[in-house]
Amino acid sequence: MERALELAKRGRGFAEPNPLVGAVIVQGDRVVGGGWHERFGEAHAEINALAAAGDVARGATMYVTLEPCCHEGKTPPCTDAIIRASIRRVVAAMRDPFHEVNGKGMEQLRNAGIEVEEGLCEAEARRLNAPYLKLTRTGRPYVHAKWAMTLDGKTATRSGDSKWISSESSRRRNHDIRGQMDAIIVGGRTARIDDPFLTVRPPGPRTPIRVVLSASGLIPTQLRLIQTAREVPTLLFADAADEHHELEAARNLGCEVVPIKIGSPTPVAEQVLKELGQRTFTHVLLEGGAGLLGTFFDARAIDEVHVFIGGRLVGGKQALGPIGGAGIERLADSAAIADRHVEMIGNDLYVNARVRWSED
């Protein structure tokens, strides 16, 4: 199963919005086939593993990281192929919560006389597919937050200078992260001050759309995000009550304008995530600034962080930290981190961790 989980990771960035799935086929004490879901719309992990095993799959055991599908989607049901191959036993790490599966795949295999087990390495499988599970359960994408900061926790000097806190190697890693996303989100102030492209260089497995969240909608049309909107899709979330000529100009240059209700009982972050979830986005990346990160943090909407810590100290009461918003009043209510990965990238420290809220 551990091998199947490693295989599943190879589909990251290619398989979404489908889950990451790996499968290994064992005959006696010998691995005779393995595969993973390589690309959305193409053969699932079980089919690739069966193809690798060939006739040797007869009477074998299949280890798979997610319950095999039993419905007709972009590909035929995996359960039918498993039954035809005369697999004797299927061990699944976890049940697939998708409403057309959710236990039905296991039931179909049992009814065909196949021995079925589930739950082996379930915690690892759930961590692997946390984005898919969140999208399936809530209809909202999994939210990554990225920032670069100095050792004393500043994202810019008191004058706003931030280029560059992190090293070129860290910035390359950030492009690798971007290349696995469905969307990159920045706040309106960051768009105006930094004038970023928000593209992936070099291109990764996914081409994320660019998203600007601006309460005022005052986004100058000379910004590179707006000028290149016909080349890379760009969404502009702006106050529905504040229609003006700059929004119309952005539309004319190829931006899609999505209205949001500022001051609504529904938090802005929730409105944005609902829209992106309806587009079946699995992963979205918050790239700043502090106001945007604070908006999502206060809504408890951040699932994972990518923090690049440069070996610099800048000080200053007026120098910004990474997360704005109202913040947490009591430490007992603060978010914790889990499943952390810490790595040196050149002279920078990279910390990647999941965010665990008190109700999780």
Side-chain angles (χ1 to χ4, degrees):
M1 188 63 79
E2 289 175 350
R3 173 62 177 160
L5 287 163
E6 286 301 315
L7 288 175
K9 293 175 185 176
R10 298 185 185 183
R12 185 172 284 136
F14 297 96
E16 294 90 344
N18 280 356
L20 307 180
V21 182
V24 170
I25 298 174
V26 177
Q27 185 67 264
D29 60 357
R30 187 166 60 98
V31 172
V32 296
W36 68 95
H37 186 23
E38 297 179 14
R39 190 175 294 273
F40 177 72
E42 297 182 2
H44 290 186
E46 299 93 320
I47 305 305
N48 290 328
L50 288 169
D55 292 341
V56 188
R58 180 178 295 274
T61 295
M62 174 182 284
Y63 294 86
V64 61
T65 59
L66 189 70
E67 175 184 8
C69 69
C70 55
H71 66 291
E72 187 85 27
K74 290 187 176 295
T75 59
C78 290
T79 48
D80 290 353
I82 291 169
I83 293 168
R84 285 196 304 271
S86 299
I87 288 287
R88 178 183 63 82
R89 176 170 168 254
V90 172
V91 181
M94 61 173 290
R95 189 165 291 196
D96 186 346
F98 184 59
H99 66 92
E100 292 197 55
V101 187
N102 199 15
K104 300 184 185 74
M106 307 300 263
E107 182 181 6
Q108 184 179 345
L109 295 175
R110 287 192 185 95
N111 290 341
I114 296 173
E115 182 183 345
V116 171
E117 297 177 29
E118 56 182 294
L120 180 63
C121 298
E122 181 173 357
E124 293 89 336
R126 287 189 172 279
R127 281 197 296 272
L128 174 70
N129 270 315
Y132 167 75
L133 296 175
K134 182 183 179 185
L135 183 63
T136 302
R137 184 182 74 252
T138 70
R140 308 295 186 261
Y142 187 85
V143 179
H144 302 253
K146 169 264 173 182
W147 65 85
M149 68 182 186
T150 61
L151 194 58
D152 56 336
K154 308 297 185 181
T155 55
T157 67
R158 64 175 186 245
S159 68
D161 183 24
S162 62
K163 291 184 171 52
W164 294 99
I165 288 174
S166 60
S167 67
E168 186 176 344
S169 296
S170 291
R171 297 196 294 277
R172 282 198 298 269
R173 175 65 64 86
N174 185 51
H175 279 277
D176 292 340
I177 295 167
R178 283 183 178 183
Q180 298 176 23
M181 299 292 139
D182 295 302
I184 303 171
I185 308 174
V186 295
R189 184 173 184 273
T190 296
R192 290 189 294 270
I193 293 174
D194 293 350
D195 192 16
F197 269 122
L198 297 186
T199 52
V200 182
R201 303 182 296 277
R206 306 189 80 74
T207 301
I209 69 164
R210 290 94 57 90
V211 177
V212 180
L213 174 55
S214 173
S216 67
L218 297 174
I219 301 297
T221 55
Q222 66 266 28
L223 292 182
R224 294 185 292 187
L225 281 169
I226 309 301
Q227 290 293 319
T228 58
R230 295 196 190 282
E231 301 163 27
V232 182
T234 303
L235 285 184
L236 177 57
F237 285 88
D239 190 354
D242 195 19
E243 181 70 32
H244 49 71
H245 72 280
E246 284 199 6
L247 287 179
E248 188 56 35
R251 285 193 189 94
N252 291 338
L253 287 168
C255 289
E256 181 182 353
V257 178
V258 181
I260 52 176
K261 295 179 180 178
I262 305 296
S264 163
T266 304
V268 167
E270 174 64 16
Q271 295 179 54
V272 171
L273 293 177
K274 180 180 179 181
E275 174 66 30
L276 298 182
Q278 289 172 347
R279 298 170 188 243
T280 65
F281 287 4
T282 307
H283 296 266
V284 300
L285 177 64
L286 307 176
E287 281 226 6
L292 175 83
L293 289 169
T295 294
F296 280 78
F297 182 84
D298 289 345
R300 299 183 173 229
I302 295 175
D303 299 297
E304 187 169 331
V305 295
H306 303 265
V307 184
F308 297 91
I309 305 172
R312 300 173 182 270
L313 300 169
V314 301
K317 290 189 297 184
Q318 303 304 315
L320 284 175
I323 301 177
I328 299 294
E329 185 172 346
R330 298 170 61 248
L331 274 176
D333 299 325
S334 63
I337 62 171
D339 304 325
R340 68 181 65 87
H341 166 76
V342 180
E343 176 186 351
M344 291 299 299
I345 301 179
N347 291 324
D348 297 343
L349 186 67
Y350 168 58
V351 180
N352 170 225
R354 297 181 190 272
V355 178
R356 181 170 294 161
W357 299 96
S358 56
E359 66 268 20
D360 290 350

